[in-house]
Amino acid sequence: AQSVTQLGSHVSVSEGALVLLRCNYSSSVPPYLFWYVQYPNQGLQLLLKYTTGATLVKGINGFEAEFKKSETSFHLTKPSAHMSDAAEYFCAVSTSGGGADGLTFGKGTHLIIQP
Amino acid sequence: EPEVTQTPSHQVTQMGQEVILRCVPISNHLYFYWYRQILGQKVEFLVSFYNNEISEKSEIFDDQFSVERPDGSNFTLKIRSTKLEDSAMYFCASSWGTGESETQYFGPGTRLLVL
């Protein structure tokens, strides 16, 4: 079984400041890790994913995340926040077992951008 | 860019009625999924579907639920005898493959309200 913990249901940053959204996971097998973003009244859009290889992955809209196996973490960062980044962000994990596994999501973090 | 579509966007039903939620996955995708998100809670996996049969399902997906791919394009979720607690946003997703090819693309969701 796997689980995802996102620290902070709400994170508020000033425009232009660093964005850091935390995600820790537990998995009994090597995980695949994902960050999705949900804008108001829209579906989930993939920001980035980690499967194998390079542990620092870059995604859309200037976001990146680093897989740290020793810390079981996959934190999402962006150097400079923009007003358009205000949204709900979900970290998710699936197993590498090869079946059509469902994603296990965290509870989400609502990112607020202060002008 | 191809996308997953879902209909209807909103549905209101009476407790005990049957509802069918419809999804059109991305055309060359082979794996299909349903998730739900109860208001204020995390996104939860319901079921995955491949080669015209259920691949994986969660504890939530009991006999009240069924899925079907009635033709070459639609993927449906049927909820028999709806309960108040079925009120949620239901997301459909599709992916081309599994493992490293598993990037699930989500539709905009159907908001179901059971009265």
Side-chain angles (χ1 to χ4, degrees):
Chain A
Q2 57 241 27
S3 66
V4 175
T5 302
Q6 290 183 242
L7 288 177
S9 59
H10 292 78
V11 170
S12 180
V13 302
S14 299
E15 191 175 16
L18 171 72
V19 175
L20 170 61
L21 304 183
R22 297 179 187 274
C23 172
N24 289 88
Y25 70 91
S26 70
S27 177
S28 56
V29 297
Y32 293 162
L33 296 158
F34 306 81
W35 276 99
Y36 283 86
V37 60
Q38 185 180 30
Y39 298 102
N41 300 314
Q42 295 188 28
L44 299 165
Q45 180 182 4
L46 181 70
L47 274 178
L48 48 80
K49 70 174 186 179
Y50 168 81
T51 54
T52 59
T55 57
L56 181 63
V57 291
K58 296 184 184 299
I60 61 172
N61 302 338
F63 284 94
E64 60 183 38
E66 187 171 11
F67 169 60
K68 291 187 177 181
K69 184 178 178 181
S70 61
E71 298 178 8
T72 60
S73 69
F74 191 57
H75 302 330
L76 181 71
T77 60
K78 182 174 180 177
S80 176
H82 191 272
M83 294 300 290
S84 60
D85 295 328
E88 191 84 14
Y89 290 79
F90 294 94
C91 182
V93 63
S94 73
T95 66
S96 53
D101 295 340
L103 297 172
T104 298
F105 284 87
K107 290 188 175 181
T109 297
H110 186 66
L111 178 62
I112 301 162
I113 311 295
Q114 304 281 2
Chain B
E1 184 176 326
E3 58 183 19
V4 177
T5 59
Q6 291 184 243
T7 55
S9 59
H10 293 77
Q11 178 144 7
V12 180
T13 190
Q14 295 291 323
M15 189 169 57
Q17 296 296 304
E18 174 182 286
V19 296
I20 297 176
L21 310 183
R22 291 182 168 79
C23 168
V24 178
I26 294 173
S27 64
N28 65 341
H29 283 186
L30 302 176
Y31 295 82
F32 315 113
Y33 311 81
W34 282 103
Y35 292 81
R36 77 173 185 191
Q37 184 182 29
I38 295 171
L39 189 64
Q41 299 186 24
K42 64 172 73 175
V43 177
E44 300 172 291
F45 168 70
L46 293 177
V47 66
S48 61
F49 193 85
Y50 169 72
N51 199 25
N52 281 320
E53 61 183 28
I54 290 173
S55 181
E56 305 276 348
K57 61 181 181 178
S58 72
E59 298 172 343
I60 304 168
F61 193 87
D62 59 22
D63 292 343
Q64 181 195 11
F65 296 91
S66 61
V67 288
E68 190 178 32
R69 190 154 161 82
D71 54 42
S73 60
N74 289 284
F75 179 51
T76 63
L77 174 69
K78 182 188 293 185
I79 309 175
R80 288 182 280 274
S81 189
T82 49
K83 307 173 209 169
L84 296 177
E85 54 265 38
D86 294 327
S87 295
M89 180 74 92
Y90 288 82
F91 292 106
C92 173
S94 69
S95 67
W96 182 84
T98 60
E100 291 194 41
S101 302
E102 183 197 1
T103 294
Q104 294 183 27
Y105 294 88
F106 284 75
T110 293
R111 186 170 295 282
L112 175 66
L113 179 61
V114 182
L115 301 176

